[in-house]
Amino acid sequence: MAIAIITGASSGIGEEFARQLHLSEGIDEFWFVARRRDRMEALRDRLGVKAKIITADLATEAGINEVRNALSEEKPEVKYLVNAAGFGNFGTFEELPEDEVVKMIDLNVKALVLITHITIPYMVKGGRIIELGSGSCFTPLPAFNIYASSKSFVLHYTKALNFEIKKHGLRATCFCPGWVETEFLGKATAREGVTAPKSMKPLLSCESVVKRCVRASRRGRAMCVTNWYTKLQHVLFKLVPDPLLSRMWLGMLNKKI
Ligand SMILES: NC(=O)c1ccc[n+]([C@@H]2O[C@H](COP(=O)([O-])OP(=O)(O)OC[C@H]3O[C@@H](n4cnc5c(N)ncnc54)[C@H](OP(=O)(O)O)[C@@H]3O)[C@@H](O)[C@H]2O)c1
């Protein structure tokens, strides 16, 4: 039995991974993990797949334990793990409330690492792990700092993990797309007075970016950067000094610090 575990399956990129892995990777059963059960049930019905639905807040220990317990009870043979649960809020360090800062780190970093850690023992040879990084992970970003820094962690962590698990026939890919059309940006800019960066239109489609990531993951790539401007950013960020990049970024946000 080939199992695919997808966190953040109730929306956006996670949902699209479910659709594409179903179409191309011969998955026998999905495990969908997120908080909105109705959305995951609707996805299961729409795709017509066998799916175990785990309703869990992964920013909490209890939520992680839901997945831990399911793994130890069922001992699945996991072919794919996609850690897509995540969120990011714009705002300077002063503007962001402490609970939001902690939750971003707990979900984007701690949960992602823990879910990977508890799942690897159940992964079969040839198995693939996809960790959601972001195009924002390559440089420090004021007023999006906690999110970008959390994704920067994911990038370094995934590259090293990929190196370590090769000997078991497993591969891990850090997926770094540009701005994608999902619920993400609406939530990220929900606070009053927060605006989205000027440069983020047009948004990429989930279908196109996920297709590239599945291909990169199959090839065992440690990182997958999608679309031309994110690739260009990746190169520019290595050449342009951080303070200058920070000023350009704040200009795009129309924000003065
Ligand atoms: N959209 C972009 O422009 C973009 C670009 C680069 C990287 N990313 C990354 O891609 C990943 C997916 O984001 P998306 O764009 O698809 O956004 P999205 O549509 O908002 O999806 C986020 C997913 O994370 C789940 N989630 C949020 N908080 C959770 C929690 N506490 N416990 C469990 N699940 C939780 C949500 O489900 P529930 O609300 O049902 O729990 C939802 O399924 C994120 O890691 C994001 O950082 C997005």
Short mmCIF file of all heavy atoms in Angstrom, two decimals, residues 81 83 108-109 112-113 116 120 128-134 137 150-166 170-176 213 220-224:
data_model
loop_
_atom_site.label_atom_id
_atom_site.label_comp_id
_atom_site.label_asym_id
_atom_site.label_seq_id
_atom_site.Cartn_x
_atom_site.Cartn_y
_atom_site.Cartn_z
N LEU A 81 5.50 12.28 1.72
CA LEU A 81 5.10 13.18 2.80
C LEU A 81 5.21 14.60 2.26
O LEU A 81 6.28 15.00 1.79
CB LEU A 81 6.03 13.04 4.02
CG LEU A 81 5.86 14.14 5.08
CD1 LEU A 81 4.47 14.10 5.72
CD2 LEU A 81 6.94 14.02 6.17
N ASN A 83 4.66 18.42 3.54
CA ASN A 83 4.37 19.33 4.66
C ASN A 83 4.00 20.69 4.10
O ASN A 83 4.87 21.56 3.91
CB ASN A 83 5.60 19.44 5.57
CG ASN A 83 5.57 18.44 6.70
OD1 ASN A 83 4.56 18.33 7.41
ND2 ASN A 83 6.64 17.68 6.85
N ASN A 108 5.33 26.52 11.01
CA ASN A 108 6.20 26.48 9.82
C ASN A 108 7.50 25.73 10.07
O ASN A 108 8.07 25.17 9.14
CB ASN A 108 6.55 27.91 9.36
CG ASN A 108 5.33 28.71 8.96
OD1 ASN A 108 4.22 28.21 8.95
ND2 ASN A 108 5.52 29.97 8.63
N VAL A 109 7.95 25.74 11.32
CA VAL A 109 9.24 25.11 11.62
C VAL A 109 9.05 23.85 12.48
O VAL A 109 9.37 22.74 12.05
CB VAL A 109 10.18 26.11 12.35
CG1 VAL A 109 11.47 25.43 12.77
CG2 VAL A 109 10.48 27.31 11.45
N LEU A 112 6.62 21.11 11.10
CA LEU A 112 7.19 20.53 9.87
C LEU A 112 8.32 19.53 10.22
O LEU A 112 8.36 18.41 9.70
CB LEU A 112 7.69 21.67 8.99
CG LEU A 112 8.33 21.34 7.64
CD1 LEU A 112 7.88 22.35 6.58
CD2 LEU A 112 9.84 21.37 7.75
N VAL A 113 9.18 19.94 11.14
CA VAL A 113 10.30 19.06 11.53
C VAL A 113 9.77 17.83 12.26
O VAL A 113 10.19 16.70 11.98
CB VAL A 113 11.32 19.83 12.41
CG1 VAL A 113 12.35 18.89 13.00
CG2 VAL A 113 11.99 20.92 11.60
N THR A 116 7.97 15.35 10.01
CA THR A 116 8.96 14.62 9.21
C THR A 116 9.66 13.58 10.07
O THR A 116 9.83 12.42 9.67
CB THR A 116 10.00 15.61 8.64
OG1 THR A 116 9.31 16.63 7.92
CG2 THR A 116 10.97 14.91 7.70
N ILE A 120 9.39 9.55 8.97
CA ILE A 120 10.51 8.87 8.27
C ILE A 120 10.61 7.37 8.60
O ILE A 120 10.81 6.56 7.70
CB ILE A 120 11.84 9.63 8.50
CG1 ILE A 120 11.87 10.85 7.55
CG2 ILE A 120 13.05 8.74 8.23
CD1 ILE A 120 13.11 11.71 7.67
N ARG A 128 9.49 9.98 -0.91
CA ARG A 128 9.80 11.38 -1.17
C ARG A 128 9.17 12.28 -0.10
O ARG A 128 7.99 12.08 0.25
CB ARG A 128 9.25 11.81 -2.54
CG ARG A 128 9.94 11.12 -3.72
CD ARG A 128 11.35 11.67 -3.88
NE ARG A 128 12.07 11.15 -5.00
CZ ARG A 128 12.95 10.15 -4.97
NH1 ARG A 128 13.18 9.51 -3.84
NH2 ARG A 128 13.60 9.78 -6.05
N ILE A 129 9.96 13.26 0.33
CA ILE A 129 9.45 14.25 1.30
C ILE A 129 9.49 15.61 0.61
O ILE A 129 10.50 15.96 -0.02
CB ILE A 129 10.37 14.30 2.55
CG1 ILE A 129 10.37 12.94 3.26
CG2 ILE A 129 9.93 15.40 3.51
CD1 ILE A 129 11.45 12.80 4.32
N ILE A 130 8.40 16.34 0.69
CA ILE A 130 8.36 17.71 0.14
C ILE A 130 8.06 18.67 1.28
O ILE A 130 7.01 18.56 1.94
CB ILE A 130 7.31 17.82 -0.98
CG1 ILE A 130 7.73 16.92 -2.16
CG2 ILE A 130 7.17 19.28 -1.44
CD1 ILE A 130 6.68 16.73 -3.22
N GLU A 131 9.01 19.57 1.54
CA GLU A 131 8.84 20.54 2.62
C GLU A 131 8.59 21.90 1.99
O GLU A 131 9.35 22.33 1.11
CB GLU A 131 10.12 20.61 3.48
CG GLU A 131 10.66 19.27 3.98
CD GLU A 131 9.89 18.67 5.15
OE1 GLU A 131 8.67 18.92 5.25
OE2 GLU A 131 10.50 17.94 5.95
N LEU A 132 7.54 22.59 2.47
CA LEU A 132 7.23 23.89 1.87
C LEU A 132 8.13 24.99 2.42
O LEU A 132 8.01 25.38 3.58
CB LEU A 132 5.75 24.22 2.12
CG LEU A 132 4.84 24.00 0.91
CD1 LEU A 132 5.17 24.95 -0.24
CD2 LEU A 132 4.91 22.58 0.40
N GLY A 133 9.02 25.42 1.54
CA GLY A 133 9.79 26.63 1.80
C GLY A 133 9.03 27.76 1.14
O GLY A 133 7.80 27.81 1.16
N SER A 134 9.76 28.66 0.48
CA SER A 134 9.12 29.80 -0.16
C SER A 134 10.19 30.59 -0.92
O SER A 134 11.38 30.49 -0.60
CB SER A 134 8.49 30.68 0.93
OG SER A 134 8.26 31.98 0.43
N CYS A 137 12.63 32.75 1.15
CA CYS A 137 13.57 32.15 2.12
C CYS A 137 15.03 32.50 1.85
O CYS A 137 15.91 32.09 2.57
CB CYS A 137 13.40 30.64 2.17
SG CYS A 137 13.96 29.79 0.70
N SER A 150 11.47 31.69 9.01
CA SER A 150 11.02 30.30 9.23
C SER A 150 11.26 29.48 7.96
O SER A 150 11.67 28.32 8.01
CB SER A 150 9.54 30.26 9.66
OG SER A 150 8.66 30.53 8.57
N LYS A 151 11.04 30.10 6.80
CA LYS A 151 11.22 29.38 5.54
C LYS A 151 12.71 29.20 5.21
O LYS A 151 13.09 28.24 4.56
CB LYS A 151 10.50 30.11 4.41
CG LYS A 151 8.98 30.14 4.60
CD LYS A 151 8.40 28.73 4.64
CE LYS A 151 6.89 28.71 4.73
NZ LYS A 151 6.32 27.36 4.72
N SER A 152 13.52 30.13 5.68
CA SER A 152 14.96 30.01 5.52
C SER A 152 15.45 28.78 6.30
O SER A 152 16.29 28.01 5.81
CB SER A 152 15.59 31.28 6.08
OG SER A 152 16.85 31.44 5.61
N PHE A 153 14.91 28.60 7.48
CA PHE A 153 15.23 27.39 8.26
C PHE A 153 14.86 26.15 7.44
O PHE A 153 15.64 25.20 7.33
CB PHE A 153 14.45 27.39 9.58
CG PHE A 153 14.59 26.10 10.36
CD1 PHE A 153 15.55 25.99 11.36
CD2 PHE A 153 13.80 25.00 10.07
CE1 PHE A 153 15.70 24.79 12.05
CE2 PHE A 153 13.96 23.80 10.74
CZ PHE A 153 14.91 23.70 11.75
N VAL A 154 13.66 26.17 6.88
CA VAL A 154 13.17 24.99 6.13
C VAL A 154 14.12 24.66 4.98
O VAL A 154 14.41 23.48 4.73
CB VAL A 154 11.72 25.22 5.61
CG1 VAL A 154 11.27 24.06 4.72
CG2 VAL A 154 10.75 25.39 6.77
N LEU A 155 14.64 25.68 4.32
CA LEU A 155 15.53 25.44 3.19
C LEU A 155 16.81 24.72 3.65
O LEU A 155 17.18 23.68 3.10
CB LEU A 155 15.89 26.77 2.50
CG LEU A 155 16.90 26.65 1.36
CD1 LEU A 155 16.33 25.83 0.21
CD2 LEU A 155 17.32 28.03 0.85
N HIS A 156 17.47 25.28 4.65
CA HIS A 156 18.73 24.68 5.12
C HIS A 156 18.50 23.29 5.69
O HIS A 156 19.25 22.35 5.41
CB HIS A 156 19.39 25.59 6.16
CG HIS A 156 20.00 26.80 5.53
ND1 HIS A 156 21.34 26.90 5.26
CD2 HIS A 156 19.45 27.94 5.09
CE1 HIS A 156 21.58 28.06 4.67
NE2 HIS A 156 20.44 28.70 4.57
N TYR A 157 17.44 23.19 6.46
CA TYR A 157 17.11 21.91 7.10
C TYR A 157 16.84 20.83 6.05
O TYR A 157 17.32 19.70 6.15
CB TYR A 157 15.90 22.14 8.02
CG TYR A 157 15.02 20.95 8.20
CD1 TYR A 157 15.36 19.94 9.10
CD2 TYR A 157 13.83 20.82 7.47
CE1 TYR A 157 14.55 18.84 9.25
CE2 TYR A 157 13.02 19.74 7.63
CZ TYR A 157 13.38 18.74 8.52
OH TYR A 157 12.59 17.66 8.66
N THR A 158 16.09 21.19 5.01
CA THR A 158 15.71 20.19 4.00
C THR A 158 16.92 19.75 3.18
O THR A 158 17.06 18.57 2.86
CB THR A 158 14.60 20.74 3.08
OG1 THR A 158 13.53 21.22 3.88
CG2 THR A 158 14.08 19.66 2.14
N LYS A 159 17.78 20.72 2.85
CA LYS A 159 18.98 20.35 2.07
C LYS A 159 19.84 19.35 2.85
O LYS A 159 20.33 18.37 2.29
CB LYS A 159 19.78 21.60 1.73
CG LYS A 159 19.19 22.42 0.60
CD LYS A 159 20.09 23.61 0.33
CE LYS A 159 19.75 24.29 -0.97
NZ LYS A 159 20.61 25.45 -1.21
N ALA A 160 20.03 19.61 4.12
CA ALA A 160 20.86 18.70 4.93
C ALA A 160 20.15 17.36 5.12
O ALA A 160 20.78 16.30 5.07
CB ALA A 160 21.17 19.35 6.28
N LEU A 161 18.83 17.44 5.32
CA LEU A 161 18.05 16.19 5.49
C LEU A 161 18.17 15.33 4.24
O LEU A 161 18.38 14.12 4.32
CB LEU A 161 16.58 16.54 5.75
CG LEU A 161 15.64 15.35 5.91
CD1 LEU A 161 15.91 14.62 7.23
CD2 LEU A 161 14.17 15.80 5.88
N ASN A 162 18.06 15.97 3.08
CA ASN A 162 18.15 15.23 1.82
C ASN A 162 19.48 14.48 1.73
O ASN A 162 19.53 13.32 1.31
CB ASN A 162 18.01 16.20 0.65
CG ASN A 162 17.95 15.49 -0.68
OD1 ASN A 162 17.16 14.57 -0.86
ND2 ASN A 162 18.80 15.88 -1.62
N PHE A 163 20.52 15.15 2.18
CA PHE A 163 21.85 14.53 2.16
C PHE A 163 21.87 13.32 3.11
O PHE A 163 22.37 12.26 2.76
CB PHE A 163 22.87 15.58 2.60
CG PHE A 163 24.27 15.21 2.25
CD1 PHE A 163 24.79 15.53 1.00
CD2 PHE A 163 25.07 14.54 3.14
CE1 PHE A 163 26.08 15.18 0.66
CE2 PHE A 163 26.37 14.19 2.81
CZ PHE A 163 26.87 14.51 1.57
N GLU A 164 21.30 13.50 4.30
CA GLU A 164 21.36 12.44 5.32
C GLU A 164 20.55 11.21 4.96
O GLU A 164 20.95 10.09 5.26
CB GLU A 164 20.82 12.98 6.66
CG GLU A 164 21.73 13.93 7.38
CD GLU A 164 21.14 14.36 8.72
OE1 GLU A 164 20.26 13.67 9.26
OE2 GLU A 164 21.56 15.42 9.23
N ILE A 165 19.39 11.41 4.31
CA ILE A 165 18.48 10.25 4.12
C ILE A 165 18.69 9.52 2.81
O ILE A 165 18.05 8.49 2.58
CB ILE A 165 16.99 10.67 4.26
CG1 ILE A 165 16.60 11.71 3.19
CG2 ILE A 165 16.71 11.21 5.65
CD1 ILE A 165 15.13 12.16 3.28
N LYS A 166 19.62 10.04 1.99
CA LYS A 166 19.91 9.36 0.70
C LYS A 166 20.25 7.90 0.91
O LYS A 166 19.86 7.04 0.14
CB LYS A 166 21.08 10.06 0.01
CG LYS A 166 20.66 11.07 -1.01
CD LYS A 166 21.86 11.66 -1.70
CE LYS A 166 21.45 12.98 -2.34
NZ LYS A 166 22.57 13.82 -2.68
N LEU A 170 15.76 7.54 0.37
CA LEU A 170 14.73 8.60 0.48
C LEU A 170 15.31 9.91 -0.03
O LEU A 170 16.52 10.09 -0.06
CB LEU A 170 14.29 8.77 1.94
CG LEU A 170 13.77 7.54 2.67
CD1 LEU A 170 13.52 7.86 4.13
CD2 LEU A 170 12.48 7.04 2.02
N ARG A 171 14.44 10.83 -0.41
CA ARG A 171 14.88 12.16 -0.83
C ARG A 171 13.95 13.20 -0.24
O ARG A 171 12.74 12.95 -0.09
CB ARG A 171 14.80 12.30 -2.36
CG ARG A 171 15.79 11.46 -3.12
CD ARG A 171 17.22 12.05 -3.02
NE ARG A 171 18.08 11.45 -4.00
CZ ARG A 171 18.61 10.26 -3.93
NH1 ARG A 171 18.37 9.50 -2.87
NH2 ARG A 171 19.39 9.81 -4.90
N ALA A 172 14.51 14.38 0.05
CA ALA A 172 13.69 15.51 0.55
C ALA A 172 13.92 16.72 -0.35
O ALA A 172 15.05 17.03 -0.69
CB ALA A 172 14.07 15.84 1.99
N THR A 173 12.83 17.37 -0.70
CA THR A 173 12.89 18.55 -1.59
C THR A 173 12.28 19.75 -0.88
O THR A 173 11.15 19.66 -0.38
CB THR A 173 12.08 18.29 -2.88
OG1 THR A 173 12.58 17.12 -3.51
CG2 THR A 173 12.17 19.48 -3.84
N CYS A 174 13.02 20.86 -0.85
CA CYS A 174 12.43 22.10 -0.34
C CYS A 174 11.80 22.84 -1.52
O CYS A 174 12.48 23.18 -2.48
CB CYS A 174 13.50 22.97 0.31
SG CYS A 174 12.79 24.49 0.99
N PHE A 175 10.52 23.07 -1.43
CA PHE A 175 9.76 23.66 -2.53
C PHE A 175 9.65 25.16 -2.29
O PHE A 175 9.08 25.60 -1.28
CB PHE A 175 8.38 22.99 -2.56
CG PHE A 175 7.46 23.49 -3.63
CD1 PHE A 175 7.95 24.01 -4.82
CD2 PHE A 175 6.09 23.39 -3.46
CE1 PHE A 175 7.09 24.45 -5.81
CE2 PHE A 175 5.22 23.82 -4.44
CZ PHE A 175 5.73 24.36 -5.61
N CYS A 176 10.22 25.95 -3.21
CA CYS A 176 10.26 27.41 -3.05
C CYS A 176 9.55 28.09 -4.22
O CYS A 176 10.20 28.53 -5.18
CB CYS A 176 11.71 27.89 -3.00
SG CYS A 176 12.71 27.07 -1.76
N CYS A 213 7.15 20.85 -8.98
CA CYS A 213 7.73 20.32 -7.74
C CYS A 213 7.67 18.79 -7.71
O CYS A 213 8.62 18.14 -7.27
CB CYS A 213 7.03 20.91 -6.52
SG CYS A 213 7.80 20.34 -5.02
N GLY A 220 14.71 13.66 -7.22
CA GLY A 220 15.53 13.68 -6.00
C GLY A 220 16.22 14.99 -5.74
O GLY A 220 17.21 15.07 -5.01
N ARG A 221 15.69 16.09 -6.31
CA ARG A 221 16.31 17.41 -6.12
C ARG A 221 16.12 17.89 -4.68
O ARG A 221 15.05 17.73 -4.11
CB ARG A 221 15.68 18.44 -7.06
CG ARG A 221 15.86 18.12 -8.52
CD ARG A 221 17.14 18.76 -9.07
NE ARG A 221 17.65 18.04 -10.23
CZ ARG A 221 17.20 18.18 -11.48
NH1 ARG A 221 16.26 19.04 -11.71
NH2 ARG A 221 17.72 17.47 -12.46
N ALA A 222 17.15 18.55 -4.14
CA ALA A 222 17.07 19.06 -2.77
C ALA A 222 16.23 20.33 -2.69
O ALA A 222 15.70 20.68 -1.65
CB ALA A 222 18.46 19.33 -2.23
N MET A 223 16.12 21.02 -3.84
CA MET A 223 15.39 22.29 -3.84
C MET A 223 14.66 22.45 -5.16
O MET A 223 15.17 22.04 -6.21
CB MET A 223 16.39 23.44 -3.65
CG MET A 223 15.74 24.80 -3.63
SD MET A 223 16.92 26.10 -3.23
CE MET A 223 17.81 26.25 -4.74
N CYS A 224 13.50 23.04 -5.11
CA CYS A 224 12.76 23.33 -6.34
C CYS A 224 12.27 24.77 -6.28
O CYS A 224 11.41 25.11 -5.45
CB CYS A 224 11.58 22.37 -6.48
SG CYS A 224 10.46 22.79 -7.82
#
